[in-house]
Amino acid sequence: MTLVRTHTVPARSRGLFNEFDHLFNDVNPQVFQRPAVSGAPVDLFETDEALVLQMAVPGLSGEDLDISVDGRNLSVRGTLPELAAEDGRRYWVQNLARGEFNRSLKLPTTVDADAIEARVAHGMLILTMSKMAEAKVRKIAIANN
């Protein structure tokens, strides 16, 4: 003979568990709203010669983006397209932001606006911005006496 112990929920608690089941399983998915588009996530780093920005732009190409530099201010604008409504589609989770975005950054140093290289690869915008001559790190030779 094998004795198996099972955990039973007291009758008075079953109502609470049913309420939680209803809350998490049966809620209208439209209650959960998509996040507002405020800007795409970015990495900005510096090398001796340039500033490099990497920005997530899933599903966009270079033609979908507007990039401008004014002094040390960088601005990237674009629109993540709305999804076409499809009959019978019910979202349970919808975290992908849609709509227009504008991401502005104050660059840590002045860049040469005429020497900026921009490309989009694998959902990432990559900007390589050459530093102005006065912003580049220079090694100073020391004369021996």
Side-chain angles (χ1 to χ4, degrees), residues 96-109:
L96 295 175
R98 300 288 177 186
E100 293 182 18
F101 69 90
N102 180 9
R103 185 70 191 255
S104 296
L105 296 169
K106 180 110 178 155
L107 299 174
T109 188

Side-chain angles (χ1 to χ4, degrees), residues 29-71:
Q30 293 177 356
V31 170
F32 302 106
Q33 296 189 6
R34 289 181 291 171
V37 179
S38 60
V42 300
D43 285 341
L44 177 65
F45 61 91
E46 181 176 10
T47 66
D48 289 341
E49 299 295 319
L51 294 176
V52 180
L53 176 106
Q54 297 175 327
M55 176 184 284
V57 290
L60 298 183
S61 67
E63 293 82 32
D64 302 322
L65 299 168
D66 178 32
I67 303 166
S68 61
V69 175
D70 182 13

Side-chain angles (χ1 to χ4, degrees), residues 2-105:
T2 304
L3 179 61
V4 177
R5 295 186 109 174
T6 60
H7 177 71
T8 58
V9 177
R12 70 181 197 285
S13 299
R14 283 191 202 122
L16 180 61
F17 285 109
N18 288 339
E19 289 300 316
F20 276 112
D21 284 344
H22 170 71
L23 178 67
F24 289 109
N25 295 330
D26 298 333
V27 171
N28 182 345
Q30 293 177 356
V31 170
F32 302 106
Q33 296 189 6
R34 289 181 291 171
V37 179
S38 60
V42 300
D43 285 341
L44 177 65
F45 61 91
E46 181 176 10
T47 66
D48 289 341
E49 299 295 319
L51 294 176
V52 180
L53 176 106
Q54 297 175 327
M55 176 184 284
V57 290
L60 298 183
S61 67
E63 293 82 32
D64 302 322
L65 299 168
D66 178 32
I67 303 166
S68 61
V69 175
D70 182 13
R72 290 178 45 196
N73 297 312
L74 171 70
S75 180
V76 179
R77 291 184 181 91
T79 302
L80 294 165
E82 293 290 333
L83 296 175
E86 293 186 24
D87 294 333
R89 181 180 281 190
R90 290 185 344 167
Y91 285 95
W92 291 102
V93 177
Q94 195 172 13
N95 287 332
L96 295 175
R98 300 288 177 186
E100 293 182 18
F101 69 90
N102 180 9
R103 185 70 191 255
S104 296
L105 296 169

